[in-house]
Amino acid sequence: MTYQSYEIHEETRESRWLITCDHASNAVPPEVASGDLGLPPADMNRHIAYDLGAAGVTHALADLMGAPAILSRFSRLVIDPNRGQDDPTLIMKLYDGTIVPANRHIDHGEEQRRIAAYWKPYHDAYEALATRRDDTVIVAIHSFSPKLNGRKPRPWQIGVLHAGDTSLGPALVARLEREPDLCVGDNEPYAGHLPGDAVDQHALQKGRPNVLIELRHDVIETDEQQHAWARRLAPILTQVLAETGL
């Protein structure tokens, strides 16, 4: 049986919003190194393997906004769906100080097999959802670690990445900055997008309004926190989109 590399949540919804989660899962398909990348469970449950809490936020936000969602079903350590095919970090051999044994000596054939089996089906399904309407707005949900090894703690509860977009992303930053209890990252904790990444492929290159939201994963650890953030973000996103007139 072919491994299903993605989940589509409520595909028939007609909202112009599309909620995405590139790093929803830490699963390793059974045909990849017999389902074991050689890392202990503690590492597979770290941010290096997936975006903790992001899947729960994605489902809840999609439900509140009456939107479909697409989520990956494989670990970013298997292959990263938020990288272009020619990106040297597409399959990580070393991440945040941790060597990935099953990737350390990966050959070209296995890399191409993973692209064909997991990366490409995810992006084909993503694009099919994005093209269901000509006014699709993409909201990409990610989470980030409170602190990387050897780095300073990150102060932001939420970050908005918007390189290449001069409307929805900056407008969302401005709106979130009015929330008195939030420290908001403007293109933080990462600077914008990478050529060929998911937002670049499906939004920037196609002229679709978009925003990438990063939530610090210690603020979305529980189901309750994930639903609370979804309830907070849904009306804000709706308001900002209306105000921009996109």
Side-chain angles (χ1 to χ4, degrees):
M1 180 181 295
T2 302
Y3 187 85
Q4 184 71 24
S5 69
Y6 58 88
E7 170 200 348
I8 296 180
H9 180 68
E10 300 294 346
E11 182 175 5
T12 60
R13 287 175 173 168
E14 297 182 356
S15 168
R16 65 181 298 202
W17 295 100
L18 171 60
I19 317 300
T20 72
C21 191
D22 299 327
H23 300 143
S25 173
N26 62 352
V28 180
E31 61 270 24
V32 176
S34 300
D36 186 349
L37 295 176
L39 294 173
D43 280 330
M44 291 304 297
N45 286 308
R46 290 175 55 209
H47 185 73
I48 63 171
Y50 73 123
D51 281 1
L52 285 74
V57 175
T58 299
H59 282 117
L61 187 61
D63 288 343
L64 287 167
M65 302 185 77
I70 183 167
L71 304 91
S72 68
R73 294 188 64 246
F74 54 93
S75 171
R76 69 199 302 168
L77 295 179
V78 171
I79 188 167
D80 194 333
N82 196 33
R83 295 291 185 272
Q85 284 194 46
D86 59 350
D87 192 304
T89 64
L90 180 65
I91 297 177
M92 294 290 281
K93 299 178 180 181
L94 175 70
Y95 198 156
D96 195 22
T98 298
I99 293 173
V100 184
N103 294 347
R104 189 172 187 177
H105 302 295
I106 190 170
D107 60 23
H108 179 72
E110 174 60 11
E111 180 176 311
Q112 292 302 305
R113 191 195 71 77
R114 292 189 198 181
I115 290 172
Y118 317 118
W119 189 96
K120 190 173 187 302
Y122 174 77
H123 284 287
D124 287 348
Y126 190 145
E127 184 61 20
L129 283 172
T131 57
R132 77 199 191 289
R133 297 179 54 135
D134 60 11
D135 61 351
T136 294
V137 181
I138 292 173
V139 179
I141 300 296
H142 290 256
S143 72
F144 63 95
S145 173
K147 182 179 181 298
L148 293 179
N149 286 336
R151 307 284 183 89
K152 294 180 179 179
R154 291 161 160 172
W156 318 282
Q157 296 104 328
I158 185 170
V160 178
L161 309 192
H162 56 81
D165 173 66
T166 59
S167 50
L168 188 59
L172 179 60
V173 171
R175 173 62 184 83
L176 289 170
E177 286 178 338
R178 300 206 302 268
E179 299 285 296
D181 61 327
L182 292 184
C183 179
V184 181
D186 185 355
N187 277 326
E188 298 285 359
Y190 315 107
H193 300 289
L194 296 170
D197 70 12
V199 168
D200 184 43
Q201 286 186 63
H202 302 289
L204 299 180
Q205 293 181 25
K206 306 296 174 62
R208 295 177 180 128
N210 66 91
V211 66
L212 189 154
I213 294 173
E214 289 272 3
L215 290 160
R216 203 177 66 209
H217 67 63
D218 61 325
V219 304
I220 52 170
E221 288 179 332
T222 67
D223 289 345
E224 181 179 355
Q225 289 173 315
Q226 293 157 18
H227 282 79
W229 272 98
R231 289 193 299 270
R232 187 172 196 174
L233 288 170
I236 290 175
L237 285 164
T238 301
Q239 174 192 359
V240 169
L241 182 64
E243 290 176 349
T244 60
L246 292 169

